[in-house]
Amino acid sequence: MNFKALAETLNKSMMSDHVCVSKDRNPVFIAKNKMLPDQLACVLGQYTLFTKNVVHFLYAARNTARLAKWKSVDVELTRNLGEELGTETECITHNNMLILGIKETVGVDLSTIVSNEATKIFIDKMTAIMSDKKVSYASGAAYALECSAIPELRIVIELVKDLANMKTGSAKLSNRLQSFFDDHLNVWEVAHESYLKEACRNYIDENNALEFQSGFEAVMETMDEWWLGLKEESDFL
């Protein structure tokens, strides 16, 4: 199997086998119309901790690629990190854009949110996966992070709009928050996936394809567990 075929297979399995990226099966998305504002705000607060830690996840995978001298993967993940940290947004990190945009839109300040148990487990597992010293495994994990970003953001934007409607009577987002989603969905994440796929193509072959796939699947399974945990914890609010 060549790398193009492998990437296509992984993308298809992501959408068919994993609840975190499916509007039909994501547990929070399914239940959102029955959730209270505090429950939705809690889920979104935990999501901002994911966007905050994306930088650490990418650093870990980038450093592994650098040590292995996978230059094109190193270069792309470094470029990606720069964007996360604000190279395209006047030095405002993507995480801060999201937090400020939510505050502007619904009046909820998530800047001091702390991890609940599901998110602690999620961050710990993701850190371990992304820090793996097997470069093909870590690269597969990074690729999963980028492949899943757009379908997951399509879920998150609907959750934000629902919370806005509950809080203000309108699903309209602030300009900052709308730009956050528009730029991620139409520009940044499209490029992240495409460029990383092209970078990985230089190194993945029949000798390490299974390891790349294992890293990819490890991330997707961890994200599934997290969303299931977020829903379970919201039930107790």
Side-chain angles (χ1 to χ4, degrees):
M1 179 184 291
N2 62 36
F3 182 70
K4 180 180 179 182
L6 173 62
E8 290 175 353
T9 297
L10 293 177
N11 273 269
K12 287 178 181 177
S13 71
M14 177 184 74
M15 296 308 300
S16 63
D17 299 341
H18 295 285
V19 302
C20 59
V21 291
S22 169
K23 287 185 177 181
D24 293 330
R25 287 171 289 130
N26 182 292
V28 175
F29 194 84
I30 292 170
K32 68 186 182 69
N33 291 335
K34 298 178 181 178
M35 295 175 74
L36 299 172
D38 285 351
Q39 291 175 302
L40 276 178
C42 180
V43 170
L44 291 170
Q46 295 303 303
Y47 183 79
T48 67
L49 296 174
F50 173 32
T51 62
K52 178 180 180 179
N53 279 277
V54 161
V55 171
H56 304 296
F57 302 154
L58 292 173
Y59 264 125
R62 192 281 306 274
N63 291 343
T64 297
R66 181 167 290 179
L67 286 171
K69 301 189 185 305
W70 284 24
K71 186 173 182 179
S72 61
V73 176
D74 175 358
V75 168
E76 169 50 25
L77 291 178
T78 300
R79 187 193 69 81
N80 187 334
L81 276 164
E83 287 189 356
E84 290 290 339
L85 293 171
T87 56
E88 306 296 317
T89 49
E90 299 180 342
C91 295
I92 299 174
T93 68
H94 289 183
N95 178 246
N96 283 340
M97 282 182 68
L98 178 61
I99 290 173
L100 290 169
I102 289 175
K103 185 175 182 180
E104 291 166 349
T105 301
V106 300
V108 175
D109 185 359
L110 300 175
S111 61
T112 59
I113 200 83
V114 296
S115 300
N116 61 22
E117 189 62 25
T119 302
K120 287 178 184 176
I121 292 170
F122 170 70
I123 291 171
D124 286 347
K125 284 188 175 182
M126 286 291 291
T127 299
I129 292 166
M130 303 297 289
S131 301
D132 197 286
K133 297 309 177 186
K134 298 185 292 292
V135 64
S136 50
Y137 184 93
S139 296
Y143 185 58
L145 200 63
E146 299 309 334
C147 284
S148 60
I150 287 177
E152 189 173 54
L153 281 166
R154 286 177 176 150
I155 288 170
V156 173
I157 191 174
E158 294 301 323
L159 300 181
V160 175
K161 286 180 176 179
D162 281 358
L163 180 58
N165 205 30
M166 291 176 183
K167 289 281 193 177
T168 70
S170 169
K172 182 176 174 57
L173 307 182
S174 72
N175 290 339
R176 188 196 311 269
L177 192 54
Q178 190 65 57
S179 292
F180 172 88
F181 286 112
D182 287 346
D183 288 339
H184 275 86
L185 291 170
N186 301 317
V187 183
W188 295 326
E189 296 303 346
V190 176
H192 291 171
E193 178 183 354
S194 175
Y195 293 165
L196 185 56
K197 179 164 62 177
E198 183 63 21
C200 289
R201 185 177 64 84
N202 298 323
Y203 305 99
I204 303 300
D205 56 28
E206 65 274 7
N207 297 311
N208 56 17
L210 285 178
E211 206 164 71
F212 184 90
Q213 182 173 350
S214 294
F216 185 99
E217 289 296 336
V219 165
M220 296 311 305
E221 290 167 6
T222 301
M223 290 177 69
D224 282 348
E225 293 170 1
W226 180 50
W227 279 98
L228 290 164
L230 292 179
K231 173 58 176 64
E232 290 175 0
E233 288 174 341
S234 73
D235 290 339
F236 293 98
L237 295 177

